[in-house]
Amino acid sequence: SDQVTTVSSTYMQEILLDQGFGLEPVLRYYQQKLYGIVNGLDYDVWNPEWDPFIPAHFTASAFSKRSQNKQHLCAELGLDGKRPLFVMVSRLSHQKGLDLVLDCVEDITKEGCFVLCGDGDADFCDAFTQKAHQDPHMVSHLGFNEKLSHRLYASADFYLMPSMYEPCGLAQLIAMRYGAVPIVRKTGGLKDTVRPFQESGGVGIVFDQYDATALRCAIETAFGLYRENKIAAFAKRAMGQNFSWEESAKNYLALYQKLLHQSDYQTPLRPITPSDALHIPLPENYDADILVGMPVNSGFVYTHWEVTPATLQVAHQYTKVDSSQSLTLQLFRATAKGAESVFETTVPAMGEADIFQYLPGQTLWAELGMFDSDGNWFRLMTSTRFTLPRDTICTGQDAANWQRAD
């Protein structure tokens, strides 16, 4: 493929680290092709100004009418409409943070009311049904109910979404569209779409750690905002955001147009071979710099590098490039004619990476350097050569693969 898109920028970063379901090394290898675009809402379907499922229509400029929805809903469900209303419309699964919510029901209902609508894992269905039977300030509605879900979004003071992971998420977008303040965990699309209320332009309550204590703190924050009559300002601000498909479509269209015109999203390998490299005079403390390249197994190469500020300063002066110029890490493969570059990526001054390179039996080595404005390759360091095993697994870090300089 020329490009791989994910449904949010933060999730794009997360799948490179620990949420790629085993594909992290492959995704890191092709990370120059990755791009994140948040999903959108159909604003004709999700619009509180004319939604046929809610009793009272409202807008950000006519926000006072919204409270009628809460009063109608609470009267029908037998809940106290004077309490802050927390809702959750969700698939009942561990991924959605239902285990945290289950631990925090009493923290919600001590001052507020809680309505859950959804279906999913039997254990969660049973547990929340039991909680609702025991707590007069909670209602659990099992099963999908389109009309109820619209009414819940239009009535809620706070919308819960403490997901373990969330590629994009639509519920928080709907909640904000309908003036409910979202309480979300800082992950994936939730991080990209819900700005913390403490920040300029903030609209929601955001917490970081995936545990019940963090969610309890967020709930206490919600109660504080409710007592101080501050949630209306955040709710109206949230309603003013644009998460329509029209906006997302513009981003997709721009991406496709750039691909058609050989955009910067593609990073083809440059025709550079080691013999073309120019050397940079190195400082006296060059022995502090490190580059290692070694096989991890038949399909992966482990690389680690550290470049001191002194070396970078000399390199920038010698190549006459701006100090913001990124370093480039390349892998070369030995060929009958000499060598060819098989991988290239920009890197910081220090780091490590597992690079997927399925060339079993081939001899490789890593080089670290930079390109100047004319495309000349200036080499700082090279690792010793190594061969990718055909069917064996290498363990440990072979000291012979550590090399200070070429």
Side-chain angles (χ1 to χ4, degrees):
S1 63
D2 296 308
Q3 194 74 38
V4 179
T5 59
T6 65
V7 291
S8 70
S9 296
T10 296
Y11 185 65
M12 179 190 72
Q13 297 298 325
E14 291 171 344
I15 61 176
L16 297 175
L17 300 175
D18 58 3
Q19 293 188 24
F21 292 91
L23 292 175
E24 293 89 349
V26 178
L27 293 168
R28 285 196 292 269
Y29 176 72
Y30 290 108
Q31 62 182 294
Q32 73 274 13
K33 294 184 178 184
L34 295 180
Y35 195 68
I37 299 176
V38 172
N39 284 331
L41 292 179
D42 185 337
Y43 273 19
D44 289 330
V45 174
W46 298 103
N47 193 325
E49 192 172 3
W50 59 66
D51 191 328
F53 294 121
I54 64 177
H57 297 143
F58 62 95
T59 63
S61 59
F63 192 76
S64 60
K65 297 179 181 179
R66 185 179 188 274
S67 61
Q68 297 176 36
N69 292 296
K70 178 181 176 181
Q71 296 308 316
H72 280 289
L73 181 76
C74 289
E76 289 180 23
L77 298 180
L79 299 174
D80 185 351
K82 296 180 180 179
R83 287 176 162 232
L85 178 61
F86 295 73
V87 309
M88 190 171 187
V89 180
S90 176
R91 173 170 50 87
L92 306 187
S93 72
H94 188 66
Q95 179 236 324
K96 296 295 185 179
L98 270 298
D99 54 325
L100 304 187
V101 176
L102 197 59
D103 287 341
C104 294
V105 168
E106 289 80 6
D107 298 275
I108 296 172
T109 58
K110 67 180 181 181
E111 292 186 46
C113 298
F114 177 45
V115 180
L116 173 70
C117 177
D119 206 350
D121 296 351
D123 289 345
F124 282 129
C125 291
D126 294 342
F128 280 106
T129 298
Q130 184 176 1
K131 286 277 189 182
H133 285 160
Q134 298 171 347
D135 195 326
H137 301 296
M138 177 184 170
V139 173
S140 176
H141 185 283
L142 299 182
F144 176 73
N145 186 312
E146 184 177 8
K147 181 178 180 180
L148 179 59
S149 66
H150 281 245
R151 295 187 64 188
L152 289 173
Y153 286 120
S155 303
D157 295 302
F158 301 99
Y159 185 86
L160 290 175
M161 202 165 178
S163 303
M164 175 178 287
Y165 63 91
E166 195 67 60
C168 177
L170 293 178
Q172 85 278 11
L173 304 183
I174 300 170
M176 290 188 289
R177 174 74 167 155
Y178 279 66
V181 175
I183 300 176
V184 303
R185 181 170 169 264
K186 189 178 180 180
T187 183
L190 300 178
K191 176 184 175 183
D192 292 345
T193 58
V194 181
R195 181 175 295 181
F197 75 91
Q198 301 94 329
E199 298 179 3
S200 175
V203 297
I205 300 171
V206 182
F207 65 97
D208 197 353
Q209 297 299 317
Y210 187 81
D211 58 52
T213 299
L215 179 55
R216 287 190 185 96
C217 290
I219 292 168
E220 287 300 321
T221 299
F223 283 133
L225 294 176
Y226 188 85
R227 290 191 214 92
E228 296 170 9
N229 296 316
K230 292 183 177 180
I231 66 168
F234 299 127
K236 287 188 281 188
R237 186 182 298 160
M239 291 183 70
Q241 298 180 113
N242 188 349
F243 289 108
S244 68
W245 268 117
E246 182 178 355
E247 288 300 306
S248 299
K250 289 178 182 177
N251 293 326
Y252 276 108
L253 183 60
L255 176 61
Y256 297 154
Q257 288 174 336
K258 288 186 177 183
L259 286 173
L260 287 173
H261 294 88
Q262 297 181 344
S263 72
D264 292 337
Y265 288 99
Q266 293 176 298
T267 310
L269 297 177
R270 311 182 197 209
I272 301 295
T273 64
S275 60
D276 296 324
L278 303 175
H279 292 272
I280 298 173
L282 299 169
E284 294 181 359
N285 67 338
Y286 180 66
D287 59 355
D289 297 273
I290 292 173
L291 171 64
V292 61
M294 62 178 295
V296 179
N297 58 38
S298 59
F300 295 90
V301 173
Y302 170 78
T303 55
H304 174 89
W305 61 92
E306 297 180 27
V307 183
T308 61
T311 298
L312 284 176
Q313 183 178 9
V314 170
H316 288 131
Q317 290 174 350
Y318 186 79
T319 57
K320 295 182 174 62
V321 298
D322 187 84
S323 59
S324 63
Q325 174 73 41
S326 299
L327 292 170
T328 298
L329 176 69
Q330 291 200 87
L331 282 184
F332 288 96
R333 177 175 73 93
T335 67
K337 295 182 178 181
E340 67 174 353
S341 177
V342 295
F343 176 80
E344 173 192 320
T345 186
T346 56
V347 295
M350 180 175 68
E352 61 180 1
D354 290 320
I355 302 169
F356 179 76
Q357 192 64 52
Y358 192 72
L359 294 169
Q362 297 291 309
T363 298
L364 306 175
W365 64 94
E367 290 194 5
L368 191 67
M370 60 180 61
F371 290 98
D372 67 8
S373 58
D374 296 324
N376 296 313
W377 170 239
F378 287 87
R379 178 197 297 152
L380 280 172
M381 289 178 282
T382 182
S383 73
T384 54
R385 298 190 177 201
F386 53 88
T387 301
L388 286 178
R390 293 186 182 277
D391 54 7
T392 59
I393 302 296
C394 296
T395 58
Q397 295 186 2
D398 186 353
N401 282 317
W402 293 79
Q403 183 165 310
R404 307 292 182 180
D406 182 18

